[in-house]
Amino acid sequence: MNKVILVLPFLILSSLFVNAQKEQNGIRASLNLSNLYVDEVDDENTKPGFAVGVYFRKGLSDQISIQPEINYSLKGSQINYDGFFSGTGKYRYNLSYVEIPVLANIHLGESLYLSAGPYVASLIAVKVKDVNGDGTVNNVEEYDRDDFNTFDYGVAAGVGFDFTGGTAGVRYNYGLVDVAPNGNGLDNGKNSVLQFFIGFEF
């Protein structure tokens, strides 16, 4: 079932290439503010990251378009510590994904639009940085990705506006899969990412 879900966006993307003239293709980048949500999410655990990729948009009507994307997205969380011997600092869990959202856009006039749709993602690497309170990196450790759920999926929604030659906006990604079912210090949290993005046509 996971393989079927993962392949589905590729099939949709392929059908757009074959059957339709795309209205807008481009590159995109975003600032990620990511966390791992559990029953109670601590905002202090929010970690900055980024995403880069490409997007493809096809208009189905004047008001509706479909927008698949392929992105590299850096997610995760951070845990603060304060010890007598260790001092103050944080552990930053950097989770690297290849992510494929397929969004439906509802256009409200010439520029403003609302977006919503599913995403699937594959975990490609997990690294943990030990960062001092002054920003110095003490250590970087790479974890075995097989100790984590390598497949993730969820839903995304946001708002954006088009400008001449590109697009920009805000999006929230809500994961539906436990990132680390075996613990690994992440308390079985799910991905939660707020994105501020900008894209330019090519």
Side-chain angles (χ1 to χ4, degrees):
M1 180 60 69
N2 286 348
K3 292 181 179 179
V4 173
I5 296 174
L6 186 59
V7 169
L8 183 58
F10 285 107
L11 296 178
I12 296 173
L13 184 58
S14 298
S15 68
L16 294 182
F17 283 149
V18 172
N19 297 324
Q21 181 179 0
K22 297 171 290 295
E23 290 186 348
Q24 191 180 106
N25 300 333
I27 58 174
R28 68 183 301 276
S30 71
L31 168 66
N32 288 356
L33 298 179
S34 64
N35 208 333
L36 296 175
Y37 71 85
V38 287
D39 292 336
E40 295 182 4
V41 176
D42 189 345
D43 289 338
E44 292 184 354
N45 294 338
T46 299
K47 183 190 75 69
F50 66 91
V52 292
V54 292
Y55 67 94
F56 313 90
R57 185 188 295 179
K58 173 197 176 292
L60 302 181
S61 70
D62 290 339
Q63 289 77 38
I64 299 175
S65 65
I66 298 296
Q67 182 172 311
E69 299 174 0
I70 302 175
N71 300 310
Y72 169 83
S73 188
L74 185 60
K75 306 180 183 182
S77 182
Q78 66 183 19
I79 299 175
N80 298 319
Y81 63 80
D82 186 357
F84 181 78
F85 294 104
S86 60
T88 61
K90 58 192 68 175
Y91 294 112
R92 288 182 177 170
Y93 287 80
N94 294 314
L95 309 177
S96 300
Y97 288 89
V98 173
E99 182 178 88
I100 304 172
V102 179
L103 305 173
N105 298 326
I106 299 176
H107 297 268
L108 308 175
E110 293 294 326
S111 300
L112 186 66
Y113 62 91
L114 305 177
S115 297
Y119 77 82
V120 295
S122 177
L123 180 68
I124 58 176
V126 180
K127 293 182 180 180
V128 179
K129 288 184 179 181
D130 180 0
V131 183
N132 276 343
D134 62 4
T136 303
V137 177
N138 292 326
N139 183 47
V140 178
E141 183 177 356
E142 186 164 358
Y143 282 27
D144 187 345
R145 64 187 288 274
D146 291 333
D147 292 334
F148 296 77
N149 265 327
T150 57
F151 179 77
D152 185 34
Y153 63 89
V155 293
V159 60
F161 68 93
D162 292 331
F163 56 87
T164 302
T167 187
V170 181
R171 183 185 302 170
Y172 178 66
N173 291 357
Y174 183 87
L176 299 175
V177 177
D178 289 343
V179 170
N182 297 322
N184 290 300
L186 297 180
D187 298 327
N188 294 337
K190 299 177 178 67
N191 281 309
S192 170
V193 184
L194 180 65
Q195 295 185 325
F196 298 89
F197 69 85
I198 188 167
F200 297 97
E201 291 185 63
F202 54 64

